[in-house]
Amino acid sequence: MSDTLPALGEDEIRQRLARELPHWYYENGWIRRKYRTEGWKGTLMVVNAVGHLAEAAWHHPDLAVSYAFVIVKLCTHSAKGVTERDFALASRIEALIQWQPAREGGVLEGTPNDDQRFRYIKYD
Ligand SMILES: C[C@H](O)[C@H](O)[C@H]1CNC2=NC(N)=NC(=O)C2=N1
């Protein structure tokens, strides 16, 4: 099993979040992010997407799940603090949940977010 990474200091955590993950915040020893959705179905899609990334990474967040939002919390149990693993997984989660193909000009048109029948993520 991989060795333990060192826990990062609070100042470094806050500076890196501001630079790399501006929608994430540091509170009570965890880096956290609130993803808002249009309702339960969208919420469960976010939960399952994060769940897949976590299992693939073998690094797991805590999740607070509500009707129209999910709070993702990350810290490294083995280091008893926030490590590079938390930043690496948070970056993957942020890129996936906030992915909007329509903004890339490629062949994928993306969810018709102007139609309340189809939109399911409230993008920041
Ligand atoms: C039991 C232990 O948590 C696991 O072996 C692995 C996998 N997932 C993990 N997830 C997190 N957040 N921290 C860990 O230290 C960790 N270790």
Side-chain angles (χ1 to χ4, degrees):
M1 195 58 84
S2 62
D3 55 350
T4 299
L5 293 176
L8 302 171
E10 183 169 341
D11 289 346
E12 181 178 5
I13 293 168
R14 292 188 191 280
Q15 287 163 14
R16 287 194 52 190
L17 288 178
R19 200 168 55 240
E20 301 169 30
L21 293 163
H23 292 293
W24 290 67
Y25 58 98
Y26 181 65
E27 186 179 288
N28 292 338
W30 301 72
I31 60 170
R32 303 168 185 240
R33 179 24 155 145
K34 183 173 186 177
Y35 292 107
R36 294 174 298 115
T37 72
E38 295 289 339
W40 191 240
K41 289 190 283 289
T43 293
L44 290 181
M45 290 178 78
V46 170
V47 167
N48 283 287
V50 172
H52 166 61
L53 289 178
E55 195 66 3
W58 196 239
H59 195 71
H60 302 84
D62 280 21
L63 300 177
V65 182
S66 188
Y67 174 75
F69 66 86
V70 187
I71 296 177
V72 179
K73 295 171 51 182
L74 276 166
C75 79
T76 303
H77 315 144
S78 56
K80 293 184 174 56
V82 174
T83 70
E84 289 295 342
R85 289 197 178 111
D86 301 302
F87 277 89
L89 182 56
S91 296
R92 287 272 182 175
I93 292 169
E94 186 70 9
L96 177 62
I97 304 302
Q98 293 295 299
W99 181 49
Q100 295 184 70
R103 294 188 168 188
E104 297 175 349
V107 296
L108 297 170
E109 61 184 296
T111 310
N113 288 314
D114 54 352
D115 188 329
Q116 57 82 27
R117 293 175 299 166
F118 304 119
R119 62 173 174 264
Y120 65 105
I121 301 279
K122 288 186 175 178
Y123 295 103
D124 294 304

